[in-house]
Amino acid sequence: MSVNATSLSSFNANHELYDKARPSFQQDAVKWLIDTAGLHKGSKVVELAVGTGKFTKSIINNGYDLVAVEPSEGMLTSFKKNFPQVEAKIGSSYETGIEDQWADAVIVAQAYHWFADHKSLEELHRITKPGGKLVFIWNIEVLDKLSPSHWQKISTEKVWSYDVNVPQYRHDKWQDSFKNQTWFKMPYQEKILPYQLSYSDEDMWNYWESRSYITALDGPEKAKLKEFIEGVVSKAPKEERDSEGKLVADRGTHVVVATRV
């Protein structure tokens, strides 16, 4: 198995934008993750597909023995700038470079959907101690309470219309990897925690452009989409903004914790 080509090329290209535009992780979600995974000072943790370290910021000061693994050289460049004190190496879910049964926990933030298959689970089982935890966390769009005319719903669904050839969290196919396998116990534990974020109108295009499938668009098509997004957010009424006039977006954090057999 090999790393998804779209993810690798796009994240090599947009790692600086990704680091700037993507949101951090909410403290209540991180606390639930830590408590459920049983992490404590001295825990051996592998963060896989670490990216630029958006999630690492949430755990860097907890006293873990942390190793970062990332398949994209571009992402790893940004990560090392952000966290020069963390051991970081090129690797993937198919070949992490971590020794057998080393990790108390393996954490994958915003990425498992890219490599959700049995070969990945077999490798993650190999590097995790018996009874150790495999943890996934995603920041997600929440649209179910929004009207059809809401700026967030219109812009999100427009961007999603370009998402046709790459695996994504929202397709739910990542869950299929836990079927017919004996490496991790079922059912896993999970929780979705809602929250809201505020954005300036100008921030929204950067947020969407950091998506791999938008980064991969050719220049004219990307410019067309940018014009559409900017037009939608510029028309958002005050009822969809905060007291400072910023756009308010409904978000959620989905955390999954599975126990190694």
Side-chain angles (χ1 to χ4, degrees):
M1 302 292 289
S2 59
V3 178
N4 184 282
T6 299
S7 69
L8 194 60
S9 61
S10 295
F11 291 140
N12 275 335
N14 75 1
H15 59 97
E16 292 181 342
L17 177 62
Y18 186 104
D19 192 46
K20 175 184 176 182
R22 292 296 184 97
S24 299
F25 290 85
Q26 300 297 300
Q27 290 185 351
D28 56 346
V30 175
K31 183 179 186 303
W32 189 88
L33 180 160
I34 290 170
D35 292 345
T36 306
L39 299 180
H40 53 78
K41 185 176 181 180
S43 289
K44 295 180 181 297
V45 176
V46 174
E47 190 181 347
L48 174 62
V50 72
T52 64
K54 301 298 290 190
F55 178 78
T56 315
K57 295 176 183 178
S58 304
I59 61 171
I60 189 64
N61 296 319
N62 290 354
Y64 304 148
D65 185 356
L66 178 63
V67 177
V69 179
E70 167 59 44
S72 163
E73 292 184 3
M75 286 289 196
L76 201 61
T77 296
S78 287
F79 181 87
K80 288 180 176 180
K81 288 179 181 179
N82 291 334
F83 303 100
Q85 74 275 35
V86 176
E87 180 184 352
K89 62 178 71 178
I90 288 287
S92 74
S93 62
Y94 308 114
E95 190 174 353
T96 60
I98 305 295
E99 65 185 77
D100 291 357
Q101 298 186 15
W102 182 84
D104 294 300
V106 177
I107 300 175
V108 184
Q110 215 71 25
Y112 181 63
H113 51 274
W114 285 108
F115 44 83
D117 54 43
H118 281 182
K119 283 294 185 182
S120 292
L121 289 185
E122 184 177 18
E123 171 69 356
L124 302 182
H125 174 270
R126 181 188 68 78
I127 68 174
T128 307
K129 296 176 182 177
K133 307 298 182 181
L134 176 58
V135 182
F136 308 138
I137 182 169
W138 288 275
N139 281 322
I140 61 176
E141 303 285 332
V142 178
L143 306 180
D144 54 344
K145 295 182 180 180
L146 303 179
S147 71
S149 62
H150 194 283
W151 74 266
Q152 183 185 353
K153 189 172 181 65
I154 294 173
S155 60
T156 300
E157 291 181 346
K158 179 65 173 180
V159 171
W160 282 354
S161 71
Y162 288 85
D163 168 22
V164 293
N165 295 316
V166 295
Q168 292 294 323
Y169 160 86
R170 68 185 183 87
H171 298 157
D172 289 334
K173 292 182 179 179
W174 61 269
Q175 299 172 2
D176 293 342
S177 65
F178 281 87
K179 297 176 181 177
N180 303 314
Q181 58 84 30
T182 58
W183 299 296
F184 293 90
K185 296 178 182 179
M186 289 293 289
Y188 45 66
Q189 296 172 269
E190 63 180 327
K191 190 170 187 177
I192 296 179
L193 299 96
Y195 67 99
Q196 289 185 320
L197 281 182
S198 294
Y199 294 89
S200 69
D201 289 24
E202 295 76 18
D203 286 340
M204 284 314 304
W205 171 243
N206 287 335
Y207 172 75
W208 286 122
E209 190 184 12
S210 71
R211 293 297 188 281
S212 59
Y213 53 93
I214 302 303
T215 297
L217 293 177
D218 61 34
E221 191 63 31
K222 190 184 293 186
K224 182 180 176 181
L225 178 60
K226 181 175 186 287
E227 182 179 6
F228 178 89
I229 296 298
E230 290 177 343
V232 169
V233 300
S234 69
K235 297 174 184 176
K238 64 179 181 180
E239 293 79 12
E240 298 172 6
R241 298 176 180 272
D242 64 16
S243 59
E244 297 180 352
K246 291 185 176 181
L247 301 159
V248 176
D250 283 358
R251 299 278 190 254
T253 304
H254 187 184
V255 187
V256 172
V257 179
T259 301
R260 182 201 191 274
V261 173

